[in-house]
Amino acid sequence: MSSEQGRRVAVVTIRNDASGSRILQAEHIMALFADGRRVAPISLAENIKLEDGEQRSLTLSFGEDNFPILSIFTSNNLN
């Protein structure tokens, strides 16, 4: 989602498919902007613990930018 002022926000659903719990940190999620930059969310201040099979939807802010977000991706090796 984008505002006229350039605010970039995404609603994402994260599911832990690993066996056992995992901790999600801001650096595990990245937005790919149209100029090629990868940016971590600024609104995920605390780590989020996900139990085996748990799914959560989060609203993440990526700040203000002139370029739109093309995609959101996560690392596959959450600790």
Side-chain angles (χ1 to χ4, degrees):
M1 297 180 282
S2 300
S3 72
E4 289 181 18
Q5 295 78 25
R7 189 167 171 233
R8 306 297 182 224
V9 177
V11 178
V12 298
T13 300
I14 306 285
R15 185 176 68 229
N16 177 14
D17 288 332
S19 59
S21 63
R22 296 290 185 260
I23 300 202
L24 178 67
Q25 299 172 334
E27 60 266 17
H28 292 142
I29 302 172
M30 291 288 178
L32 175 63
F33 280 79
D35 65 349
R37 285 177 300 121
R38 290 175 168 86
V39 178
I42 59 174
S43 63
L44 187 61
E46 297 181 20
N47 297 338
I48 297 173
K49 184 175 182 179
L50 296 170
E51 299 299 331
D52 180 14
E54 183 177 357
Q55 179 174 299
R56 284 198 207 171
S57 291
L58 309 167
T59 301
L60 304 175
S61 174
F62 292 90
E64 291 185 13
D65 204 282
N66 292 330
F67 293 94
I69 294 173
L70 299 179
S71 65
I72 305 286
F73 57 94
T74 63
S75 66
N76 289 329
N77 56 350
L78 300 179
N79 296 317

